[in-house]
Amino acid sequence: KPVRDGMWSGNIKKYGVAQANNPSLGISIGDLLDATGSKALDSTGQILNTARSFWTASDTLDGPDVEQGGLGELLMNRSSSRKIYTHMGVNATLTDDSNAFSLSNPLVTPETLGLGVGDTAARDKLINFVHGLDAYDDNANGDTAEKRDWVMGAFLHSRPLILHYGTDQSVIFAGSNGGMLHAFDDATGQELWSFVPRNLLQRLSALHQDVLEAFVDGSPKAYVGTTDNKKIIIFGQRRGGDRYVALDVSDRLTPKFLWEINPSMDGFSELAQTWSSPQIAKVRLGSEAKWVAFIAAGFDDNQDNDPVTLPDSKGRAIYMVDVFTGA
């Protein structure tokens, strides 16, 4: 949902898929069904106003309204504190205190957030805002400890990825332009944790400005091991930046930072805005079999100029990188 000032509103909703025909209700195999078992779409493919999605915290008929129902409503109604992580380079385990995106982490400094050295008040406001509080008192009621009118950022290009952990546990991973990659429990819809890449920390202040910014706008892709029980997700940032990041999510509640590639690293100078969704494959290198990710080098933002008068200086490559190391 576009918003005139500041970050756009986003949501993810869940519907069922009909597994059998039900002529009395006009349901055919493959139709999308809402939480009541009724058809969720009209004849033109639009969500019906009478549809109620799964995960909805109340009996509200949320229909096509972005700011009702779904994961966004659950986040608005959440009473416990969120687990938001970044990676400060001290410990790969994101649950380590050094990676907490929180007021209590001294490594998340005003300078780290691009706010200027010593501006502690601005640091605290921004951290609280990213966690979902009305830290800037946008509704002018004097309460900066209440929730914002809507917390979830927009999901524009990041397609949700679902990974299964056993027979009854699944996690949904998706990147939002609220600044982070999210991990949601499929059964409950609750946010398990979220992750802000280090290079995006200095741009988080744009979330409260009259600009439209992209952050984690790329679709995550996964390596799922059949013998090593590893689960690794790799995602780009599309309009949000020029990095690819890999996280080890083998333990769904204890993610680990695995690697990052960016254009300042040896061999990756052609890397531009990371629009390409990684394609995971197994290849043979000599006598060795390796799991790799194929990625295009991306979009040279020189192409944003109108007219384009300069040739591309980057983005002119295809890379094959080691899934486990980023090499």
Side-chain angles (χ1 to χ4, degrees):
K1 179 183 178 181
V3 176
R4 183 169 182 173
D5 300 313
M7 62 183 282
W8 290 11
S9 299
N11 205 345
I12 294 178
K13 300 191 182 187
K14 178 180 179 178
Y15 297 93
V17 180
Q19 303 298 299
N21 295 320
N22 189 335
S24 65
L25 296 178
I27 293 172
S28 301
I29 292 175
D31 283 346
L32 288 192
L33 305 179
D34 74 357
T36 70
S38 302
K39 292 183 73 169
L41 305 181
D42 65 19
S43 59
T44 67
Q46 301 299 306
I47 300 174
L48 290 163
N49 290 328
T50 55
R52 178 164 67 87
S53 66
F54 290 82
W55 297 323
T56 304
S58 65
D59 289 333
T60 303
L61 302 179
D62 52 305
D65 192 332
V66 172
E67 294 183 349
Q68 286 193 55
L71 300 177
E73 182 177 289
L74 290 176
L75 195 57
M76 285 297 298
N77 292 334
R78 183 183 179 122
S79 58
S80 59
S81 59
R82 297 173 66 188
K83 297 176 181 178
I84 302 179
Y85 308 125
T86 185
H87 182 244
M88 302 304 295
V90 177
N91 192 311
T93 302
L94 296 186
T95 55
D96 184 76
D97 290 345
S98 66
N99 295 320
F101 185 78
S102 66
L103 299 177
S104 61
N105 186 356
L107 296 180
V108 182
T109 64
E111 187 175 23
T112 301
L113 299 176
L115 300 172
V117 180
D119 199 343
T120 303
R123 165 202 182 260
D124 293 356
K125 276 188 178 181
L126 181 56
I127 291 174
N128 283 333
F129 180 85
V130 172
H131 274 263
L133 299 182
D134 184 23
Y136 300 97
D137 196 21
D138 289 327
N139 59 11
N141 68 352
D143 186 356
T144 58
E146 65 181 351
K147 291 276 184 69
R148 303 194 317 249
D149 289 344
W150 190 255
V151 174
M152 194 85 83
F155 299 88
L156 289 184
H157 299 104
S158 184
R159 289 175 176 266
L161 168 72
I162 301 174
L163 292 183
H164 304 294
Y165 294 76
T167 57
D168 59 352
Q169 289 183 338
S170 298
V171 177
I172 302 162
F173 298 94
S176 82
N177 291 316
M180 61 198 75
L181 176 88
H182 303 263
F184 301 102
D185 186 304
D186 174 66
T188 66
Q190 293 296 332
E191 183 185 67
L192 298 173
W193 51 267
S194 56
F195 171 73
V196 183
R198 176 72 180 268
N199 69 303
L200 299 182
L201 291 175
Q202 293 211 345
R203 292 182 36 231
L204 290 175
S205 58
L207 292 172
H208 190 253
Q209 297 169 4
D210 187 16
V211 294
L212 175 61
E213 286 280 336
F215 289 88
V216 183
D217 200 29
S219 299
K221 297 292 184 177
Y223 160 84
V224 179
T226 56
T227 58
D228 58 7
N229 293 320
K230 285 279 188 183
K231 290 181 175 64
I232 295 169
I233 55 173
I234 304 170
F235 61 92
Q237 298 170 342
R238 212 170 186 274
R239 273 295 191 184
D242 54 8
R243 266 71 167 167
Y244 282 98
V245 176
L247 302 179
D248 184 337
V249 294
S250 303
D251 184 327
R252 68 190 188 104
L253 299 179
T254 312
K256 296 180 180 178
F257 181 86
L258 203 54
W259 50 261
E260 174 194 289
I261 56 174
N262 64 67
S264 66
M265 297 170 62
D266 185 39
F268 290 104
S269 60
E270 285 286 341
L271 208 59
Q273 288 183 350
T274 48
W275 285 37
S276 177
S277 296
Q279 302 300 310
I280 312 297
K282 193 176 188 179
V283 302
R284 185 169 297 282
L285 298 176
S287 61
E288 185 179 6
K290 272 189 176 292
W291 282 99
V292 300
F294 289 96
I295 52 173
F299 175 75
D300 187 343
D301 55 8
N302 163 58
Q303 292 291 330
D304 290 337
N305 298 318
D306 188 18
V308 177
T309 58
L310 298 174
D312 288 354
S313 61
K314 52 189 175 181
R316 306 162 300 184
I318 293 176
Y319 290 109
M320 182 176 73
V321 301
D322 188 303
V323 162
F324 302 103
T325 68

